[in-house]
Amino acid sequence: KAGVTQTPRYLIKTRGQQVTLSCSPISGHRSVSWYQQTPGQGLQFLFEYFSETQRNKGNFPGRFSGRQFSNSRSEMNVSTLELGDSALYLCASSLVGLSTDTQYFGPGTRLTVL
Amino acid sequence: GENVEQHPSTLSVQEGDSAVIKCTYSDSASNYFPWYKQELGKRPQLIIDIRSNVGEKKDQRIAVTLNKTAKHFSLHITETQPEDSAVYFCAAIGGTGNQFYFGTGTSLTVIP
């Protein structure tokens, strides 16, 4: 089976812009979750989607949003970018959920905000 | 919400020695505790996990122990090898809000 894929792999934006990241889960996986990784804050949970519905949400401002399509692919959007949004954004997929089965991570999208 | 603390932040061991990384959590409702290994420039990968109804789990050179009463869990790597060098993250899931809380990571270096 193909692993979790994320596009684009690298992205450079300027403050105030918005960005959309994409995540394609492993075939058959219905849960997709998103994470932000920075040297200062480490790995932080953003949200989880299951069957096109946001099921769990971390402590991030409303500028961070996401959605999931009927084929389980997911997108994450960040509006009004700030310098502090520079990070590696990881998505992970699993069969049914965060605490139910193994999370498989994608390679990440490296976002740089100038 | 949940708070996961991980110690130590860096750990150096000689090849063949054991390494132990410890995590504590605050939400007694957390019920799933995975450990991830992240090599430089790569994605995190699950190496072992444990659920709240189990006290210990072992997979070859890797073991995890869980003490629910004290709310701490530990990763044990025996007979360390240079390829074990990486950053290790613990996590706690299933507590209030069913979020995914990570520890701050431990950078393990195995010296040949």
Side-chain angles (χ1 to χ4, degrees):
Chain A
K1 275 186 180 177
V4 179
T5 58
Q6 292 184 244
T7 57
R9 293 293 311 279
Y10 301 90
L11 206 49
I12 299 175
K13 292 286 187 178
T14 56
R15 280 180 298 174
Q17 287 186 310
Q18 74 165 20
V19 66
T20 299
L21 313 181
S22 181
C23 174
S24 292
I26 291 171
S27 178
H29 285 193
R30 295 169 64 191
S31 167
V32 175
S33 50
W34 288 88
Y35 307 84
Q36 181 195 66
Q37 186 172 29
T38 60
Q41 299 297 318
L43 268 166
Q44 294 184 283
F45 170 75
L46 280 153
F47 30 66
E48 183 212 6
Y49 283 86
F50 181 83
S51 291
E52 302 178 64
T53 301
Q54 187 181 89
R55 189 160 61 174
N56 296 294
K57 189 177 188 306
N59 300 319
F60 277 80
R63 299 185 299 106
F64 292 82
S65 63
R67 60 178 176 168
Q68 186 180 34
F69 301 95
S70 58
N71 61 358
S72 293
R73 189 177 70 86
S74 177
E75 288 182 347
M76 189 191 89
N77 186 75
V78 187
S79 63
T80 320
L81 284 166
E82 300 176 359
L83 295 179
D85 297 334
S86 294
L88 179 67
Y89 290 89
L90 294 157
C91 75
S93 76
S94 67
L95 283 169
V96 292
L98 296 178
S99 58
T100 309
D101 51 293
T102 303
Q103 301 290 311
Y104 294 90
F105 282 84
T109 293
R110 173 76 62 185
L111 172 65
T112 302
V113 182
L114 301 176
Chain B
E2 176 67 277
N3 180 41
V4 178
E5 294 190 359
Q6 183 173 345
H7 299 280
S9 57
T10 60
L11 180 59
S12 291
V13 300
Q14 290 291 137
E15 182 177 359
D17 286 351
S18 295
V20 179
I21 303 170
K22 298 181 180 180
C23 287
T24 61
Y25 62 100
S26 59
D27 191 338
S28 56
S30 291
N31 57 14
Y32 176 56
F33 308 92
W35 285 89
Y36 289 88
K37 174 184 179 182
Q38 188 175 28
E39 296 176 68
L40 192 62
K42 297 192 175 181
R43 69 192 77 185
Q45 289 195 303
L46 179 76
I47 55 171
I48 197 166
D49 57 9
I50 193 167
R51 298 193 181 275
S52 57
N53 58 347
V54 176
E56 183 174 358
K57 184 176 178 180
K58 191 173 180 180
D59 182 5
Q60 298 182 4
R61 297 186 297 110
I62 296 172
V64 57
T65 58
L66 170 65
N67 183 325
K68 283 192 301 182
T69 304
K71 297 199 195 102
H72 69 71
F73 56 112
S74 299
L75 177 71
H76 303 254
I77 306 174
T78 59
E79 300 171 19
T80 54
Q81 301 166 3
E83 50 266 39
D84 293 330
S85 296
V87 177
Y88 292 81
F89 293 95
C90 64
I93 301 104
T96 307
N98 198 36
Q99 293 189 33
F100 205 122
Y101 292 94
F102 288 93
T104 48
T106 296
S107 178
L108 173 65
T109 302
V110 180
I111 304 164

